[in-house]
mmCIF file with all atom_site columns, all heavy atoms in Angstrom:
data_model
loop_
_atom_site.group_PDB
_atom_site.id
_atom_site.type_symbol
_atom_site.label_atom_id
_atom_site.label_alt_id
_atom_site.label_comp_id
_atom_site.label_asym_id
_atom_site.label_entity_id
_atom_site.label_seq_id
_atom_site.pdbx_PDB_ins_code
_atom_site.Cartn_x
_atom_site.Cartn_y
_atom_site.Cartn_z
_atom_site.occupancy
_atom_site.B_iso_or_equiv
_atom_site.pdbx_formal_charge
_atom_site.auth_seq_id
_atom_site.auth_comp_id
_atom_site.auth_asym_id
_atom_site.auth_atom_id
_atom_site.pdbx_PDB_model_num
ATOM 1   N N   . LEU A 1 5   ? 66.057  207.196 113.869 1.00 39.00 ? 296  LEU A N   1
ATOM 2   C CA  . LEU A 1 5   ? 66.499  207.596 112.527 1.00 39.00 ? 296  LEU A CA  1
ATOM 3   C C   . LEU A 1 5   ? 65.688  208.739 111.942 1.00 39.00 ? 296  LEU A C   1
ATOM 4   O O   . LEU A 1 5   ? 66.207  209.616 111.270 1.00 39.00 ? 296  LEU A O   1
ATOM 5   C CB  . LEU A 1 5   ? 66.439  206.379 111.582 1.00 39.00 ? 296  LEU A CB  1
ATOM 6   C CG  . LEU A 1 5   ? 66.944  206.618 110.137 1.00 39.00 ? 296  LEU A CG  1
ATOM 7   C CD1 . LEU A 1 5   ? 68.404  207.018 110.171 1.00 39.00 ? 296  LEU A CD1 1
ATOM 8   C CD2 . LEU A 1 5   ? 66.755  205.357 109.302 1.00 39.00 ? 296  LEU A CD2 1
ATOM 9   N N   . THR A 1 15  ? 79.283  218.005 109.273 1.00 57.00 ? 306  THR A N   1
ATOM 10  C CA  . THR A 1 15  ? 79.890  216.686 109.437 1.00 57.00 ? 306  THR A CA  1
ATOM 11  C C   . THR A 1 15  ? 79.950  216.272 110.906 1.00 57.00 ? 306  THR A C   1
ATOM 12  O O   . THR A 1 15  ? 79.703  215.112 111.247 1.00 57.00 ? 306  THR A O   1
ATOM 13  C CB  . THR A 1 15  ? 81.310  216.705 108.858 1.00 57.00 ? 306  THR A CB  1
ATOM 14  O OG1 . THR A 1 15  ? 81.230  217.206 107.520 1.00 57.00 ? 306  THR A OG1 1
ATOM 15  C CG2 . THR A 1 15  ? 81.902  215.313 108.829 1.00 57.00 ? 306  THR A CG2 1
ATOM 16  N N   . PRO A 1 32  ? 70.553  197.616 127.295 1.00 78.00 ? 323  PRO A N   1
ATOM 17  C CA  . PRO A 1 32  ? 71.342  197.951 128.511 1.00 78.00 ? 323  PRO A CA  1
ATOM 18  C C   . PRO A 1 32  ? 71.316  196.855 129.561 1.00 78.00 ? 323  PRO A C   1
ATOM 19  O O   . PRO A 1 32  ? 72.132  196.865 130.484 1.00 78.00 ? 323  PRO A O   1
ATOM 20  C CB  . PRO A 1 32  ? 70.672  199.243 129.003 1.00 78.00 ? 323  PRO A CB  1
ATOM 21  C CG  . PRO A 1 32  ? 69.333  199.270 128.381 1.00 78.00 ? 323  PRO A CG  1
ATOM 22  C CD  . PRO A 1 32  ? 69.402  198.507 127.118 1.00 78.00 ? 323  PRO A CD  1
ATOM 23  N N   . VAL A 1 86  ? 74.463  223.624 85.623  1.00 85.00 ? 377  VAL A N   1
ATOM 24  C CA  . VAL A 1 86  ? 73.074  223.829 85.214  1.00 85.00 ? 377  VAL A CA  1
ATOM 25  C C   . VAL A 1 86  ? 72.351  222.492 85.118  1.00 85.00 ? 377  VAL A C   1
ATOM 26  O O   . VAL A 1 86  ? 71.179  222.374 85.489  1.00 85.00 ? 377  VAL A O   1
ATOM 27  C CB  . VAL A 1 86  ? 73.043  224.573 83.872  1.00 85.00 ? 377  VAL A CB  1
ATOM 28  C CG1 . VAL A 1 86  ? 71.606  224.707 83.371  1.00 85.00 ? 377  VAL A CG1 1
ATOM 29  C CG2 . VAL A 1 86  ? 73.680  225.941 84.003  1.00 85.00 ? 377  VAL A CG2 1
ATOM 30  N N   . ARG A 1 183 ? 65.944  215.236 65.559  1.00 89.00 ? 474  ARG A N   1
ATOM 31  C CA  . ARG A 1 183 ? 66.435  214.329 64.534  1.00 89.00 ? 474  ARG A CA  1
ATOM 32  C C   . ARG A 1 183 ? 67.310  215.138 63.560  1.00 89.00 ? 474  ARG A C   1
ATOM 33  O O   . ARG A 1 183 ? 67.156  216.360 63.462  1.00 89.00 ? 474  ARG A O   1
ATOM 34  C CB  . ARG A 1 183 ? 65.284  213.657 63.792  1.00 89.00 ? 474  ARG A CB  1
ATOM 35  C CG  . ARG A 1 183 ? 64.418  214.600 62.970  1.00 89.00 ? 474  ARG A CG  1
ATOM 36  C CD  . ARG A 1 183 ? 63.252  213.865 62.364  1.00 89.00 ? 474  ARG A CD  1
ATOM 37  N NE  . ARG A 1 183 ? 62.349  214.768 61.666  1.00 89.00 ? 474  ARG A NE  1
ATOM 38  C CZ  . ARG A 1 183 ? 61.101  214.475 61.366  1.00 89.00 ? 474  ARG A CZ  1
ATOM 39  N NH1 . ARG A 1 183 ? 60.587  213.312 61.737  1.00 89.00 ? 474  ARG A NH1 1
ATOM 40  N NH2 . ARG A 1 183 ? 60.349  215.343 60.721  1.00 89.00 ? 474  ARG A NH2 1
ATOM 41  N N   . PHE A 1 213 ? 81.802  205.437 79.654  1.00 90.00 ? 504  PHE A N   1
ATOM 42  C CA  . PHE A 1 213 ? 82.735  206.320 80.367  1.00 90.00 ? 504  PHE A CA  1
ATOM 43  C C   . PHE A 1 213 ? 83.330  205.615 81.586  1.00 90.00 ? 504  PHE A C   1
ATOM 44  O O   . PHE A 1 213 ? 84.533  205.698 81.846  1.00 90.00 ? 504  PHE A O   1
ATOM 45  C CB  . PHE A 1 213 ? 81.996  207.593 80.780  1.00 90.00 ? 504  PHE A CB  1
ATOM 46  C CG  . PHE A 1 213 ? 82.845  208.552 81.572  1.00 90.00 ? 504  PHE A CG  1
ATOM 47  C CD1 . PHE A 1 213 ? 83.768  209.380 80.937  1.00 90.00 ? 504  PHE A CD1 1
ATOM 48  C CD2 . PHE A 1 213 ? 82.751  208.629 82.950  1.00 90.00 ? 504  PHE A CD2 1
ATOM 49  C CE1 . PHE A 1 213 ? 84.541  210.267 81.652  1.00 90.00 ? 504  PHE A CE1 1
ATOM 50  C CE2 . PHE A 1 213 ? 83.529  209.504 83.667  1.00 90.00 ? 504  PHE A CE2 1
ATOM 51  C CZ  . PHE A 1 213 ? 84.430  210.318 83.018  1.00 90.00 ? 504  PHE A CZ  1
ATOM 52  N N   . LYS A 1 253 ? 59.482  193.762 68.291  1.00 88.00 ? 544  LYS A N   1
ATOM 53  C CA  . LYS A 1 253 ? 58.376  193.236 69.085  1.00 88.00 ? 544  LYS A CA  1
ATOM 54  C C   . LYS A 1 253 ? 57.184  192.861 68.211  1.00 88.00 ? 544  LYS A C   1
ATOM 55  O O   . LYS A 1 253 ? 56.408  191.952 68.565  1.00 88.00 ? 544  LYS A O   1
ATOM 56  C CB  . LYS A 1 253 ? 57.965  194.268 70.132  1.00 88.00 ? 544  LYS A CB  1
ATOM 57  C CG  . LYS A 1 253 ? 59.026  194.504 71.199  1.00 88.00 ? 544  LYS A CG  1
ATOM 58  C CD  . LYS A 1 253 ? 58.610  195.580 72.182  1.00 88.00 ? 544  LYS A CD  1
ATOM 59  C CE  . LYS A 1 253 ? 59.709  195.833 73.203  1.00 88.00 ? 544  LYS A CE  1
ATOM 60  N NZ  . LYS A 1 253 ? 59.356  196.914 74.160  1.00 88.00 ? 544  LYS A NZ  1
ATOM 61  N N   . VAL A 1 288 ? 73.262  205.786 58.250  1.00 86.00 ? 579  VAL A N   1
ATOM 62  C CA  . VAL A 1 288 ? 72.905  207.181 58.530  1.00 86.00 ? 579  VAL A CA  1
ATOM 63  C C   . VAL A 1 288 ? 73.637  208.135 57.593  1.00 86.00 ? 579  VAL A C   1
ATOM 64  O O   . VAL A 1 288 ? 73.069  209.113 57.097  1.00 86.00 ? 579  VAL A O   1
ATOM 65  C CB  . VAL A 1 288 ? 73.203  207.514 60.003  1.00 86.00 ? 579  VAL A CB  1
ATOM 66  C CG1 . VAL A 1 288 ? 72.929  208.983 60.283  1.00 86.00 ? 579  VAL A CG1 1
ATOM 67  C CG2 . VAL A 1 288 ? 72.374  206.632 60.933  1.00 86.00 ? 579  VAL A CG2 1
ATOM 68  N N   . GLY A 1 427 ? 153.423 239.247 60.018  1.00 95.00 ? 718  GLY A N   1
ATOM 69  C CA  . GLY A 1 427 ? 152.411 239.601 61.003  1.00 95.00 ? 718  GLY A CA  1
ATOM 70  C C   . GLY A 1 427 ? 151.183 240.220 60.344  1.00 95.00 ? 718  GLY A C   1
ATOM 71  O O   . GLY A 1 427 ? 151.305 240.889 59.315  1.00 95.00 ? 718  GLY A O   1
ATOM 72  N N   . TRP A 1 428 ? 150.041 239.975 60.931  1.00 95.00 ? 719  TRP A N   1
ATOM 73  C CA  . TRP A 1 428 ? 148.773 240.486 60.356  1.00 95.00 ? 719  TRP A CA  1
ATOM 74  C C   . TRP A 1 428 ? 148.014 241.222 61.452  1.00 95.00 ? 719  TRP A C   1
ATOM 75  O O   . TRP A 1 428 ? 147.716 240.654 62.502  1.00 95.00 ? 719  TRP A O   1
ATOM 76  C CB  . TRP A 1 428 ? 147.938 239.339 59.793  1.00 95.00 ? 719  TRP A CB  1
ATOM 77  C CG  . TRP A 1 428 ? 146.601 239.763 59.257  1.00 95.00 ? 719  TRP A CG  1
ATOM 78  C CD1 . TRP A 1 428 ? 145.423 239.736 59.913  1.00 95.00 ? 719  TRP A CD1 1
ATOM 79  C CD2 . TRP A 1 428 ? 146.323 240.279 57.957  1.00 95.00 ? 719  TRP A CD2 1
ATOM 80  N NE1 . TRP A 1 428 ? 144.417 240.197 59.114  1.00 95.00 ? 719  TRP A NE1 1
ATOM 81  C CE2 . TRP A 1 428 ? 144.929 240.546 57.891  1.00 95.00 ? 719  TRP A CE2 1
ATOM 82  C CE3 . TRP A 1 428 ? 147.110 240.558 56.833  1.00 95.00 ? 719  TRP A CE3 1
ATOM 83  C CZ2 . TRP A 1 428 ? 144.322 241.061 56.763  1.00 95.00 ? 719  TRP A CZ2 1
ATOM 84  C CZ3 . TRP A 1 428 ? 146.496 241.060 55.701  1.00 95.00 ? 719  TRP A CZ3 1
ATOM 85  C CH2 . TRP A 1 428 ? 145.125 241.326 55.661  1.00 95.00 ? 719  TRP A CH2 1
ATOM 86  N N   . CYS A 1 461 ? 157.890 241.157 58.674  1.00 95.00 ? 752  CYS A N   1
ATOM 87  C CA  . CYS A 1 461 ? 157.102 242.318 58.288  1.00 95.00 ? 752  CYS A CA  1
ATOM 88  C C   . CYS A 1 461 ? 155.710 242.175 58.905  1.00 95.00 ? 752  CYS A C   1
ATOM 89  O O   . CYS A 1 461 ? 155.286 241.085 59.282  1.00 95.00 ? 752  CYS A O   1
ATOM 90  C CB  . CYS A 1 461 ? 157.012 242.476 56.775  1.00 95.00 ? 752  CYS A CB  1
ATOM 91  S SG  . CYS A 1 461 ? 155.885 241.290 55.988  1.00 95.00 ? 752  CYS A SG  1
ATOM 92  N N   . ALA A 1 472 ? 136.108 259.786 66.832  1.00 82.00 ? 763  ALA A N   1
ATOM 93  C CA  . ALA A 1 472 ? 135.357 260.993 67.198  1.00 82.00 ? 763  ALA A CA  1
ATOM 94  C C   . ALA A 1 472 ? 134.614 261.483 65.967  1.00 82.00 ? 763  ALA A C   1
ATOM 95  O O   . ALA A 1 472 ? 134.938 261.130 64.835  1.00 82.00 ? 763  ALA A O   1
ATOM 96  C CB  . ALA A 1 472 ? 136.292 262.083 67.728  1.00 82.00 ? 763  ALA A CB  1
ATOM 97  N N   . SER A 1 566 ? 146.813 242.253 41.142  1.00 86.00 ? 857  SER A N   1
ATOM 98  C CA  . SER A 1 566 ? 145.527 241.689 40.690  1.00 86.00 ? 857  SER A CA  1
ATOM 99  C C   . SER A 1 566 ? 144.441 242.054 41.696  1.00 86.00 ? 857  SER A C   1
ATOM 100 O O   . SER A 1 566 ? 144.628 241.914 42.906  1.00 86.00 ? 857  SER A O   1
ATOM 101 C CB  . SER A 1 566 ? 145.632 240.167 40.555  1.00 86.00 ? 857  SER A CB  1
ATOM 102 O OG  . SER A 1 566 ? 145.998 239.588 41.792  1.00 86.00 ? 857  SER A OG  1
ATOM 103 N N   . MET A 1 640 ? 134.559 232.193 67.332  1.00 88.00 ? 931  MET A N   1
ATOM 104 C CA  . MET A 1 640 ? 134.107 232.056 65.954  1.00 88.00 ? 931  MET A CA  1
ATOM 105 C C   . MET A 1 640 ? 135.232 231.627 65.039  1.00 88.00 ? 931  MET A C   1
ATOM 106 O O   . MET A 1 640 ? 135.063 230.761 64.170  1.00 88.00 ? 931  MET A O   1
ATOM 107 C CB  . MET A 1 640 ? 133.502 233.374 65.479  1.00 88.00 ? 931  MET A CB  1
ATOM 108 C CG  . MET A 1 640 ? 133.002 233.359 64.036  1.00 88.00 ? 931  MET A CG  1
ATOM 109 S SD  . MET A 1 640 ? 131.711 232.138 63.747  1.00 88.00 ? 931  MET A SD  1
ATOM 110 C CE  . MET A 1 640 ? 130.364 232.910 64.633  1.00 88.00 ? 931  MET A CE  1
ATOM 111 N N   . VAL A 1 687 ? 96.735  187.193 48.215  1.00 91.00 ? 978  VAL A N   1
ATOM 112 C CA  . VAL A 1 687 ? 96.105  187.588 46.959  1.00 91.00 ? 978  VAL A CA  1
ATOM 113 C C   . VAL A 1 687 ? 96.756  188.816 46.351  1.00 91.00 ? 978  VAL A C   1
ATOM 114 O O   . VAL A 1 687 ? 96.615  189.049 45.148  1.00 91.00 ? 978  VAL A O   1
ATOM 115 C CB  . VAL A 1 687 ? 94.596  187.852 47.167  1.00 91.00 ? 978  VAL A CB  1
ATOM 116 C CG1 . VAL A 1 687 ? 93.884  186.591 47.561  1.00 91.00 ? 978  VAL A CG1 1
ATOM 117 C CG2 . VAL A 1 687 ? 94.374  188.949 48.189  1.00 91.00 ? 978  VAL A CG2 1
ATOM 118 N N   . SER A 1 707 ? 80.864  192.667 38.232  1.00 88.00 ? 998  SER A N   1
ATOM 119 C CA  . SER A 1 707 ? 79.606  192.412 37.528  1.00 88.00 ? 998  SER A CA  1
ATOM 120 C C   . SER A 1 707 ? 78.590  191.675 38.384  1.00 88.00 ? 998  SER A C   1
ATOM 121 O O   . SER A 1 707 ? 77.494  191.364 37.893  1.00 88.00 ? 998  SER A O   1
ATOM 122 C CB  . SER A 1 707 ? 79.886  191.620 36.244  1.00 88.00 ? 998  SER A CB  1
ATOM 123 O OG  . SER A 1 707 ? 80.529  190.382 36.547  1.00 88.00 ? 998  SER A OG  1
ATOM 124 N N   . SER A 1 849 ? 109.111 243.479 78.430  1.00 89.00 ? 1140 SER A N   1
ATOM 125 C CA  . SER A 1 849 ? 108.586 244.023 79.689  1.00 89.00 ? 1140 SER A CA  1
ATOM 126 C C   . SER A 1 849 ? 108.015 245.428 79.502  1.00 89.00 ? 1140 SER A C   1
ATOM 127 O O   . SER A 1 849 ? 107.007 245.786 80.104  1.00 89.00 ? 1140 SER A O   1
ATOM 128 C CB  . SER A 1 849 ? 109.698 244.045 80.742  1.00 89.00 ? 1140 SER A CB  1
ATOM 129 O OG  . SER A 1 849 ? 110.775 244.869 80.315  1.00 89.00 ? 1140 SER A OG  1
ATOM 130 N N   . LYS A 1 916 ? 114.595 202.473 72.299  1.00 81.00 ? 1207 LYS A N   1
ATOM 131 C CA  . LYS A 1 916 ? 113.362 202.022 72.949  1.00 81.00 ? 1207 LYS A CA  1
ATOM 132 C C   . LYS A 1 916 ? 112.147 202.812 72.501  1.00 81.00 ? 1207 LYS A C   1
ATOM 133 O O   . LYS A 1 916 ? 111.027 202.430 72.819  1.00 81.00 ? 1207 LYS A O   1
ATOM 134 C CB  . LYS A 1 916 ? 113.516 202.130 74.465  1.00 81.00 ? 1207 LYS A CB  1
ATOM 135 C CG  . LYS A 1 916 ? 114.599 201.229 75.036  1.00 81.00 ? 1207 LYS A CG  1
ATOM 136 C CD  . LYS A 1 916 ? 114.705 201.379 76.548  1.00 81.00 ? 1207 LYS A CD  1
ATOM 137 C CE  . LYS A 1 916 ? 115.798 200.485 77.122  1.00 81.00 ? 1207 LYS A CE  1
ATOM 138 N NZ  . LYS A 1 916 ? 115.926 200.637 78.597  1.00 81.00 ? 1207 LYS A NZ  1
ATOM 139 N N   . LEU A 1 938 ? 105.157 250.316 60.025  1.00 81.00 ? 1229 LEU A N   1
ATOM 140 C CA  . LEU A 1 938 ? 104.559 250.288 58.696  1.00 81.00 ? 1229 LEU A CA  1
ATOM 141 C C   . LEU A 1 938 ? 103.323 251.171 58.674  1.00 81.00 ? 1229 LEU A C   1
ATOM 142 O O   . LEU A 1 938 ? 102.461 251.065 59.551  1.00 81.00 ? 1229 LEU A O   1
ATOM 143 C CB  . LEU A 1 938 ? 104.185 248.842 58.321  1.00 81.00 ? 1229 LEU A CB  1
ATOM 144 C CG  . LEU A 1 938 ? 103.555 248.635 56.950  1.00 81.00 ? 1229 LEU A CG  1
ATOM 145 C CD1 . LEU A 1 938 ? 104.575 248.958 55.860  1.00 81.00 ? 1229 LEU A CD1 1
ATOM 146 C CD2 . LEU A 1 938 ? 103.075 247.190 56.798  1.00 81.00 ? 1229 LEU A CD2 1
ATOM 147 N N   . GLU A 1 958 ? 98.210  235.648 67.408  1.00 88.00 ? 1249 GLU A N   1
ATOM 148 C CA  . GLU A 1 958 ? 98.395  234.385 68.114  1.00 88.00 ? 1249 GLU A CA  1
ATOM 149 C C   . GLU A 1 958 ? 97.097  233.901 68.738  1.00 88.00 ? 1249 GLU A C   1
ATOM 150 O O   . GLU A 1 958 ? 96.892  232.697 68.903  1.00 88.00 ? 1249 GLU A O   1
ATOM 151 C CB  . GLU A 1 958 ? 99.475  234.541 69.186  1.00 88.00 ? 1249 GLU A CB  1
ATOM 152 C CG  . GLU A 1 958 ? 100.852 234.821 68.633  1.00 88.00 ? 1249 GLU A CG  1
ATOM 153 C CD  . GLU A 1 958 ? 101.945 234.612 69.672  1.00 88.00 ? 1249 GLU A CD  1
ATOM 154 O OE1 . GLU A 1 958 ? 101.662 233.989 70.684  1.00 88.00 ? 1249 GLU A OE1 1
ATOM 155 O OE2 . GLU A 1 958 ? 103.070 235.066 69.440  1.00 88.00 ? 1249 GLU A OE2 1
#
Side-chain angles (χ1 to χ4, degrees):
L296 183 61
T306 307
V377 176
R474 66 184 175 199
F504 178 79
K544 293 177 182 178
V579 176
W719 177 264
C752 75
S857 59
M931 179 60 71
V978 295
S998 59
S1140 61
K1207 297 180 180 179
L1229 180 66
E1249 295 195 16

